[in-house]
Amino acid sequence: MTGDRVGMGRRALGGAVLTAVLCIAVALPGLIGRHVTGTPALPAPPPAAAPDRCVDTAPPGAGPDGPEYPSTQIPGVTVGACDAGVWGRFVTVLPDTSASLLLSPDLWVRDVDACASAQAPAAGSVRRDGALTWYPAVTGQLHLVGPAALARAAGQVWLACLLTTRSGRPFDPRAAGGTVPFDWAAPAEFGDCYLGGPRVAGVRPPSCVEQHRGQVLARGTFDPTAATAPDVRRSCQRQAARLLGADDPTRDGRLVIAAVRDPDVPEEGAVLCTATTADSRTLVGTLIGLGSQPLPYG
């Protein structure tokens, strides 16, 4: 019996030793580290700004209708593809920039002007009708932006104009043919709409995707000595018919088409061609390009 007990003890001890060895064999590579072949590499930086690129997320501090960013606080943005639901789309990339110039007030003033001129309507979108010249009514927010930290670390240095909605809400940049600057058929988020009566008497919401009573269809300029008030009204009616895609832009009296003085331009000869609901009902969406579809009552 004593010998059996000794044998059993030795077998138990051997099993315990074997178990310990197996545990060490399993744990040891994790303790001392595994040998990995290859060369460590940094992740690829995001693409640089370009007119066919977008920004999907607003940088910290970017808000609707805020003041233009001062030159010492140019936000860094991450550039990506122009899919649905982006925060902004690049209008243009400005030339002759460098890391030392990014904080220059002189560069800031010059390039803010360049951003504004880059958003000006293309020559092909200007419509002349007798003594009047009409331009698309597009509203938005322009930002002067630079690369995010990861892109800067990779050596990217650029300055670009980024167009966003006034509300800061996302939009689909593929709408209206994906053109920037937008032509007459801009997405509803960039439409110039208002809540009360003619625009001069109303408060505009950020875009035409919110409830509104009317929309600025076009902005016009003319020589007051070359066109009478009836000339301006008739020209506005023609533009409204063309933009709404209907022979009768009033839609059987449900809309009031009117030419009103542009309150943003102090000189004479600046006019807005507007469409307002004839009753108190509100709209949601743009009227431009509506065609035979029903009015988008909200």
Side-chain angles (χ1 to χ4, degrees):
M1 292 293 293
T2 301
D4 291 341
R5 290 177 180 174
V6 172
M8 292 174 62
R10 289 176 177 174
R11 286 193 295 273
L13 178 61
V17 171
L18 179 60
T19 300
V21 171
L22 291 174
C23 290
I24 293 173
V26 171
L28 189 59
L31 295 174
I32 64 175
R34 296 179 182 273
H35 180 68
V36 179
T37 60
T39 303
L42 293 174
D52 61 344
R53 294 284 181 177
C54 292
V55 174
D56 61 0
T57 304
D65 286 329
E68 291 177 312
Y69 294 104
S71 59
T72 54
Q73 296 181 10
I74 296 171
V77 295
T78 301
V79 181
C82 289
D83 299 322
V86 303
W87 177 68
R89 177 157 182 170
F90 290 102
V91 175
T92 186
V93 180
L94 303 176
D96 304 325
T97 59
S98 69
S100 61
L101 291 176
L102 286 177
L103 303 182
S104 165
D106 293 337
L107 175 82
W108 170 254
V109 173
R110 175 170 62 83
D111 285 339
V112 164
D113 291 340
C115 277
S117 62
Q119 179 56 13
S125 65
V126 176
R127 295 175 178 170
R128 290 179 172 82
D129 183 16
L132 283 94
T133 301
W134 295 99
Y135 303 88
V138 178
T139 182
Q141 186 91 337
L142 281 171
H143 307 268
L144 196 61
V145 298
L150 179 60
R152 290 198 304 270
Q156 287 188 20
V157 178
W158 47 262
L159 202 60
C161 302
L162 187 73
L163 176 67
T164 70
T165 61
R166 289 179 62 85
S167 65
R169 293 181 179 178
F171 64 96
D172 187 348
R174 301 168 299 183
T179 58
V180 174
F182 293 120
D183 208 326
W184 294 92
E189 290 88 348
F190 291 90
D192 192 349
C193 291
Y194 49 87
L195 286 171
R199 178 184 164 193
V200 292
V203 179
R204 288 182 298 164
S207 73
C208 294
V209 298
E210 297 185 10
Q211 289 193 350
H212 56 273
R213 282 204 56 210
Q215 180 174 356
V216 178
L217 303 176
R219 301 174 182 273
T221 59
F222 65 97
D223 181 353
T225 64
T228 64
D231 293 334
V232 175
R233 287 195 297 269
R234 285 191 292 267
S235 182
C236 174
Q237 289 282 339
R238 288 191 291 269
Q239 295 305 314
R242 184 174 181 180
L243 291 170
L244 270 68
D247 293 335
D248 176 15
T250 71
R251 305 297 289 267
D252 294 328
R254 290 191 293 273
L255 293 176
V256 176
I257 307 300
V260 299
R261 184 168 179 173
D262 189 341
D264 297 328
V265 181
E267 297 81 12
E268 291 188 24
V271 64
L272 303 177
C273 184
T274 64
T276 310
T277 55
D279 52 22
S280 60
R281 299 177 69 179
T282 57
L283 305 167
V284 176
T286 181
L287 294 172
I288 295 177
L290 195 63
S292 60
Q293 302 177 63
L295 291 177
Y297 288 120

